[in-house]
Amino acid sequence: MSLVIGEISYTNILPIFYYLNRERLNDLGCSFVPKVPAELNDGMEKGEVDVGGISSFSFGENWKDYELLPNLSISSPKNVRSIFLFSKVPITQLDNKSIALTSSSATSVNLLKILLKKFYSLNNTYETLSPNYDQMMKSHDACLLIGDDAIRTKKHASSDIHCYDLGSLWAQFTHLPMTYAVFAVRKEALKNNSQVIEELYRQFQVSKQASIKNEFKDVIHSIQKNMGGTTQFWKEYFQGLNYDLTNKHIESLRLYFDIANELGLLNEKVEEIKLWNPSEFCQSV
């Protein structure tokens, strides 16, 4: 049977996919679907995508239907450098202000709402828009951008605009890493394609380790062809990311989900984060 693999179309996930043997995976019936996180979240929920990187928040909404591939995520211990709140005033002065939210994400949008409500005790109004900085800031006091949109905007942001890294803020208040995306697989896909998923998982790990071992040099060279930027910038960017899924990451996800449920962002409590085991034994944490 075929296996549809979701591939987030942002630079931060590239190390997990860069060294995949796509020809072999295609021969095994795999196809790749590159989209922004929000589109992949929707595809996974509808069953149009079987496995891949999705927003952590989307896992929280569908935890009963998914399992997580172990030791894989897109996280940051502190600064993430690609998820920014751009504001016309300091963050502490944003009470009762309007904020434009990117339509590209779920984790980051709800992370911002958690930070502002839970940790800053602010009340805000939100509007979801296409990720266009100029349009978002025309009629709003602040805007949230993620991924390559955020990286590009940060380079050219006016000096009078206050810029906040959401990964840094989460670490400041929780002393935990923030996990923005996880690698999830639909349970029915595990039943029907377990051997193919095991090969895909093996290749994900190989690509991850190869990228880390050569200090992301090949990945950076590929990115520079399309986005430019100095080697030093991209080296620091990737060094600030983390691709593991340790107990600390799980602890942070639990806290994130619990607060989201407390604030009414998640309709129900996430009771289980199940990790898939290649040996066909599932582990619950």
Side-chain angles (χ1 to χ4, degrees):
M1 296 182 67
S2 62
L3 187 74
V4 181
I5 302 164
E7 183 174 4
I8 298 174
S9 54
Y10 289 147
T11 55
N12 57 11
I13 204 173
L14 192 55
I16 308 297
F17 283 83
Y18 191 81
Y19 295 101
L20 294 187
N21 185 339
R22 294 180 187 247
E23 183 176 352
R24 169 164 170 72
L25 291 171
N26 288 336
D27 288 342
L28 292 174
C30 297
S31 59
F32 293 85
V33 180
K35 294 181 181 294
V36 297
E39 294 170 335
L40 288 182
N41 298 343
D42 185 59
M44 280 280 289
E45 190 170 344
K46 292 177 178 177
E48 299 168 352
V49 176
D50 300 304
V51 58
I54 61 168
S55 297
S56 297
F57 187 83
S58 184
F59 173 81
E61 291 179 307
N62 301 278
W63 62 272
K64 294 177 183 177
D65 300 319
Y66 301 162
E67 293 184 21
L68 295 185
L69 300 185
N71 201 31
L72 287 174
S73 77
I74 301 175
S75 305
S76 70
K78 293 183 180 178
N79 292 354
V80 64
R81 295 182 174 88
S82 59
I83 303 175
F84 292 112
L85 173 68
F86 299 94
S87 177
K88 297 173 182 177
V89 298
I91 194 169
T92 54
Q93 297 178 21
L94 275 175
D95 195 32
N96 297 316
K97 302 291 187 182
S98 64
I99 300 175
L101 303 173
T102 177
S103 58
S104 304
S105 173
T107 300
S108 303
V109 162
N110 289 287
L111 175 59
L112 177 63
K113 292 179 179 179
I114 286 171
L115 289 167
L116 295 183
K117 185 65 176 179
K118 180 71 174 180
F119 299 117
Y120 285 98
S121 300
L122 302 179
N123 295 299
N124 299 100
T125 57
Y126 299 99
E127 182 182 7
T128 301
L129 299 172
S130 298
N132 181 305
Y133 175 81
D134 291 333
Q135 293 298 319
M136 296 168 94
M137 294 293 272
K138 269 186 179 180
S139 55
H140 296 82
D141 302 290
C143 76
L144 173 70
L145 289 173
I146 73 165
D148 300 345
D149 298 312
I151 293 172
R152 293 189 184 97
T153 300
K154 179 67 165 58
K155 285 182 181 180
H156 307 291
S158 172
S159 59
D160 61 343
I161 293 295
H162 302 268
C163 184
Y164 297 93
D165 185 305
L166 266 59
S168 177
L169 294 179
W170 177 258
Q172 174 187 326
F173 287 108
T174 68
H175 307 290
L176 290 168
M178 180 62 206
T179 296
Y180 310 96
V182 290
F183 286 74
V185 55
R186 292 186 61 86
K187 290 182 178 179
E188 59 263 40
L190 283 172
K191 294 177 183 177
N192 300 325
N193 292 283
S194 60
Q195 290 185 325
V196 179
I197 291 171
E198 188 163 349
E199 172 61 18
L200 173 65
Y201 176 70
R202 184 191 68 80
Q203 289 202 31
F204 276 154
Q205 293 291 350
V206 167
S207 185
K208 167 186 165 179
Q209 294 303 327
S211 297
I212 294 171
K213 185 175 181 180
N214 77 357
E215 298 181 326
F216 306 98
K217 290 178 182 177
D218 293 340
V219 172
I220 290 171
H221 181 68
S222 174
I223 293 170
Q224 286 176 317
K225 291 179 181 178
N226 297 318
M227 290 186 64
T230 66
T231 299
Q232 185 62 28
F233 168 81
W234 289 112
K235 186 175 181 180
E236 291 177 359
Y237 172 71
F238 282 111
Q239 287 176 342
L241 294 176
N242 179 269
Y243 294 97
D244 302 327
L245 191 61
T246 66
N247 289 337
K248 278 290 185 183
H249 293 81
I250 297 294
E251 179 186 351
S252 181
L253 279 174
R254 285 196 176 282
L255 178 61
Y256 173 81
F257 292 145
D258 286 347
I259 298 175
N261 178 238
E262 173 192 331
L263 297 180
L265 304 173
L266 275 177
N267 292 329
E268 63 177 338
K269 184 177 177 63
V270 177
E271 297 179 359
E272 183 181 47
I273 299 176
K274 182 173 284 188
L275 304 184
W276 172 71
N277 190 307
S279 300
E280 299 184 351
F281 293 98
C282 292
Q283 173 189 2
S284 298
V285 295

PDB file of all heavy atoms in Angstrom, residues 195-211:
ATOM      1  N   GLN A 195       6.317  -2.052   8.066  1.00  0.00           N
ATOM      2  CA  GLN A 195       7.684  -2.270   7.582  1.00  0.00           C
ATOM      3  C   GLN A 195       8.207  -1.054   6.823  1.00  0.00           C
ATOM      4  O   GLN A 195       9.381  -0.687   6.954  1.00  0.00           O
ATOM      5  CB  GLN A 195       7.741  -3.514   6.700  1.00  0.00           C
ATOM      6  CG  GLN A 195       7.552  -4.820   7.476  1.00  0.00           C
ATOM      7  CD  GLN A 195       7.725  -6.040   6.601  1.00  0.00           C
ATOM      8  OE1 GLN A 195       7.368  -6.027   5.417  1.00  0.00           O
ATOM      9  NE2 GLN A 195       8.261  -7.111   7.175  1.00  0.00           N
ATOM     10  N   VAL A 196       7.343  -0.425   6.026  1.00  0.00           N
ATOM     11  CA  VAL A 196       7.760   0.776   5.294  1.00  0.00           C
ATOM     12  C   VAL A 196       8.030   1.917   6.266  1.00  0.00           C
ATOM     13  O   VAL A 196       9.006   2.664   6.117  1.00  0.00           O
ATOM     14  CB  VAL A 196       6.681   1.188   4.269  1.00  0.00           C
ATOM     15  CG1 VAL A 196       7.106   2.459   3.531  1.00  0.00           C
ATOM     16  CG2 VAL A 196       6.430   0.065   3.276  1.00  0.00           C
ATOM     17  N   ILE A 197       7.194   2.052   7.282  1.00  0.00           N
ATOM     18  CA  ILE A 197       7.402   3.095   8.284  1.00  0.00           C
ATOM     19  C   ILE A 197       8.700   2.861   9.037  1.00  0.00           C
ATOM     20  O   ILE A 197       9.432   3.813   9.363  1.00  0.00           O
ATOM     21  CB  ILE A 197       6.195   3.156   9.252  1.00  0.00           C
ATOM     22  CG1 ILE A 197       4.965   3.676   8.511  1.00  0.00           C
ATOM     23  CG2 ILE A 197       6.500   4.043  10.455  1.00  0.00           C
ATOM     24  CD1 ILE A 197       3.672   3.576   9.283  1.00  0.00           C
ATOM     25  N   GLU A 198       9.031   1.604   9.295  1.00  0.00           N
ATOM     26  CA  GLU A 198      10.294   1.307   9.971  1.00  0.00           C
ATOM     27  C   GLU A 198      11.485   1.730   9.117  1.00  0.00           C
ATOM     28  O   GLU A 198      12.462   2.278   9.622  1.00  0.00           O
ATOM     29  CB  GLU A 198      10.378  -0.185  10.293  1.00  0.00           C
ATOM     30  CG  GLU A 198      11.568  -0.539  11.170  1.00  0.00           C
ATOM     31  CD  GLU A 198      11.449  -1.896  11.821  1.00  0.00           C
ATOM     32  OE1 GLU A 198      10.356  -2.482  11.765  1.00  0.00           O
ATOM     33  OE2 GLU A 198      12.444  -2.357  12.399  1.00  0.00           O
ATOM     34  N   GLU A 199      11.419   1.503   7.810  1.00  0.00           N
ATOM     35  CA  GLU A 199      12.494   1.943   6.920  1.00  0.00           C
ATOM     36  C   GLU A 199      12.556   3.465   6.853  1.00  0.00           C
ATOM     37  O   GLU A 199      13.642   4.060   6.874  1.00  0.00           O
ATOM     38  CB  GLU A 199      12.285   1.367   5.518  1.00  0.00           C
ATOM     39  CG  GLU A 199      13.238   1.906   4.451  1.00  0.00           C
ATOM     40  CD  GLU A 199      14.703   1.619   4.726  1.00  0.00           C
ATOM     41  OE1 GLU A 199      15.012   0.722   5.553  1.00  0.00           O
ATOM     42  OE2 GLU A 199      15.556   2.289   4.114  1.00  0.00           O
ATOM     43  N   LEU A 200      11.401   4.118   6.774  1.00  0.00           N
ATOM     44  CA  LEU A 200      11.361   5.574   6.772  1.00  0.00           C
ATOM     45  C   LEU A 200      11.962   6.126   8.054  1.00  0.00           C
ATOM     46  O   LEU A 200      12.773   7.076   8.019  1.00  0.00           O
ATOM     47  CB  LEU A 200       9.920   6.062   6.620  1.00  0.00           C
ATOM     48  CG  LEU A 200       9.684   7.572   6.758  1.00  0.00           C
ATOM     49  CD1 LEU A 200      10.368   8.322   5.621  1.00  0.00           C
ATOM     50  CD2 LEU A 200       8.188   7.886   6.787  1.00  0.00           C
ATOM     51  N   TYR A 201      11.588   5.548   9.178  1.00  0.00           N
ATOM     52  CA  TYR A 201      12.117   6.000  10.465  1.00  0.00           C
ATOM     53  C   TYR A 201      13.632   5.836  10.526  1.00  0.00           C
ATOM     54  O   TYR A 201      14.342   6.731  10.997  1.00  0.00           O
ATOM     55  CB  TYR A 201      11.461   5.221  11.596  1.00  0.00           C
ATOM     56  CG  TYR A 201      12.014   5.548  12.962  1.00  0.00           C
ATOM     57  CD1 TYR A 201      11.776   6.783  13.553  1.00  0.00           C
ATOM     58  CD2 TYR A 201      12.798   4.622  13.651  1.00  0.00           C
ATOM     59  CE1 TYR A 201      12.297   7.089  14.798  1.00  0.00           C
ATOM     60  CE2 TYR A 201      13.322   4.923  14.899  1.00  0.00           C
ATOM     61  CZ  TYR A 201      13.069   6.155  15.465  1.00  0.00           C
ATOM     62  OH  TYR A 201      13.594   6.467  16.699  1.00  0.00           O
ATOM     63  N   ARG A 202      14.126   4.700  10.039  1.00  0.00           N
ATOM     64  CA  ARG A 202      15.578   4.474  10.021  1.00  0.00           C
ATOM     65  C   ARG A 202      16.274   5.561   9.202  1.00  0.00           C
ATOM     66  O   ARG A 202      17.299   6.117   9.621  1.00  0.00           O
ATOM     67  CB  ARG A 202      15.879   3.097   9.430  1.00  0.00           C
ATOM     68  CG  ARG A 202      17.371   2.729   9.462  1.00  0.00           C
ATOM     69  CD  ARG A 202      17.650   1.492   8.624  1.00  0.00           C
ATOM     70  NE  ARG A 202      17.469   1.748   7.205  1.00  0.00           N
ATOM     71  CZ  ARG A 202      18.386   2.349   6.447  1.00  0.00           C
ATOM     72  NH1 ARG A 202      19.538   2.765   6.974  1.00  0.00           N
ATOM     73  NH2 ARG A 202      18.168   2.555   5.169  1.00  0.00           N
ATOM     74  N   GLN A 203      15.691   5.898   8.052  1.00  0.00           N
ATOM     75  CA  GLN A 203      16.307   6.916   7.201  1.00  0.00           C
ATOM     76  C   GLN A 203      16.221   8.309   7.834  1.00  0.00           C
ATOM     77  O   GLN A 203      17.137   9.125   7.681  1.00  0.00           O
ATOM     78  CB  GLN A 203      15.649   6.904   5.824  1.00  0.00           C
ATOM     79  CG  GLN A 203      15.995   5.679   4.994  1.00  0.00           C
ATOM     80  CD  GLN A 203      15.805   5.920   3.508  1.00  0.00           C
ATOM     81  OE1 GLN A 203      15.968   7.054   3.021  1.00  0.00           O
ATOM     82  NE2 GLN A 203      15.473   4.872   2.770  1.00  0.00           N
ATOM     83  N   PHE A 204      15.121   8.605   8.531  1.00  0.00           N
ATOM     84  CA  PHE A 204      15.028   9.877   9.254  1.00  0.00           C
ATOM     85  C   PHE A 204      16.195  10.008  10.241  1.00  0.00           C
ATOM     86  O   PHE A 204      16.833  11.061  10.337  1.00  0.00           O
ATOM     87  CB  PHE A 204      13.704   9.953  10.029  1.00  0.00           C
ATOM     88  CG  PHE A 204      12.515  10.425   9.224  1.00  0.00           C
ATOM     89  CD1 PHE A 204      11.234  10.036   9.593  1.00  0.00           C
ATOM     90  CD2 PHE A 204      12.673  11.257   8.124  1.00  0.00           C
ATOM     91  CE1 PHE A 204      10.123  10.481   8.877  1.00  0.00           C
ATOM     92  CE2 PHE A 204      11.572  11.696   7.400  1.00  0.00           C
ATOM     93  CZ  PHE A 204      10.300  11.302   7.782  1.00  0.00           C
ATOM     94  N   GLN A 205      16.454   8.948  10.974  1.00  0.00           N
ATOM     95  CA  GLN A 205      17.522   8.980  11.968  1.00  0.00           C
ATOM     96  C   GLN A 205      18.890   9.121  11.307  1.00  0.00           C
ATOM     97  O   GLN A 205      19.763   9.856  11.792  1.00  0.00           O
ATOM     98  CB  GLN A 205      17.478   7.720  12.837  1.00  0.00           C
ATOM     99  CG  GLN A 205      16.261   7.616  13.734  1.00  0.00           C
ATOM    100  CD  GLN A 205      16.273   8.645  14.859  1.00  0.00           C
ATOM    101  OE1 GLN A 205      17.261   9.329  15.093  1.00  0.00           O
ATOM    102  NE2 GLN A 205      15.156   8.774  15.552  1.00  0.00           N
ATOM    103  N   VAL A 206      19.102   8.436  10.198  1.00  0.00           N
ATOM    104  CA  VAL A 206      20.364   8.540   9.464  1.00  0.00           C
ATOM    105  C   VAL A 206      20.577   9.971   8.977  1.00  0.00           C
ATOM    106  O   VAL A 206      21.673  10.539   9.100  1.00  0.00           O
ATOM    107  CB  VAL A 206      20.380   7.555   8.275  1.00  0.00           C
ATOM    108  CG1 VAL A 206      21.543   7.867   7.326  1.00  0.00           C
ATOM    109  CG2 VAL A 206      20.491   6.122   8.782  1.00  0.00           C
ATOM    110  N   SER A 207      19.527  10.575   8.411  1.00  0.00           N
ATOM    111  CA  SER A 207      19.633  11.943   7.904  1.00  0.00           C
ATOM    112  C   SER A 207      19.894  12.928   9.031  1.00  0.00           C
ATOM    113  O   SER A 207      20.733  13.841   8.901  1.00  0.00           O
ATOM    114  CB  SER A 207      18.350  12.321   7.160  1.00  0.00           C
ATOM    115  OG  SER A 207      18.473  13.594   6.553  1.00  0.00           O
ATOM    116  N   LYS A 208      19.209  12.749  10.125  1.00  0.00           N
ATOM    117  CA  LYS A 208      19.405  13.613  11.291  1.00  0.00           C
ATOM    118  C   LYS A 208      20.847  13.558  11.776  1.00  0.00           C
ATOM    119  O   LYS A 208      21.495  14.603  11.972  1.00  0.00           O
ATOM    120  CB  LYS A 208      18.451  13.180  12.400  1.00  0.00           C
ATOM    121  CG  LYS A 208      18.739  13.783  13.770  1.00  0.00           C
ATOM    122  CD  LYS A 208      17.819  13.175  14.823  1.00  0.00           C
ATOM    123  CE  LYS A 208      18.299  13.452  16.229  1.00  0.00           C
ATOM    124  NZ  LYS A 208      17.403  12.886  17.264  1.00  0.00           N
ATOM    125  N   GLN A 209      21.365  12.346  11.957  1.00  0.00           N
ATOM    126  CA  GLN A 209      22.717  12.192  12.478  1.00  0.00           C
ATOM    127  C   GLN A 209      23.773  12.677  11.481  1.00  0.00           C
ATOM    128  O   GLN A 209      24.780  13.279  11.878  1.00  0.00           O
ATOM    129  CB  GLN A 209      22.977  10.731  12.853  1.00  0.00           C
ATOM    130  CG  GLN A 209      22.128  10.235  14.010  1.00  0.00           C
ATOM    131  CD  GLN A 209      22.293  11.072  15.268  1.00  0.00           C
ATOM    132  OE1 GLN A 209      23.375  11.612  15.552  1.00  0.00           O
ATOM    133  NE2 GLN A 209      21.206  11.211  16.030  1.00  0.00           N
ATOM    134  N   ALA A 210      23.545  12.443  10.198  1.00  0.00           N
ATOM    135  CA  ALA A 210      24.488  12.908   9.185  1.00  0.00           C
ATOM    136  C   ALA A 210      24.545  14.435   9.151  1.00  0.00           C
ATOM    137  O   ALA A 210      25.621  15.034   9.010  1.00  0.00           O
ATOM    138  CB  ALA A 210      24.100  12.358   7.817  1.00  0.00           C
ATOM    139  N   SER A 211      23.392  15.069   9.279  1.00  0.00           N
ATOM    140  CA  SER A 211      23.344  16.540   9.278  1.00  0.00           C
ATOM    141  C   SER A 211      24.100  17.113  10.474  1.00  0.00           C
ATOM    142  O   SER A 211      24.861  18.080  10.341  1.00  0.00           O
ATOM    143  CB  SER A 211      21.883  17.012   9.310  1.00  0.00           C
ATOM    144  OG  SER A 211      21.184  16.607   8.166  1.00  0.00           O
TER     145      SER A 211
END
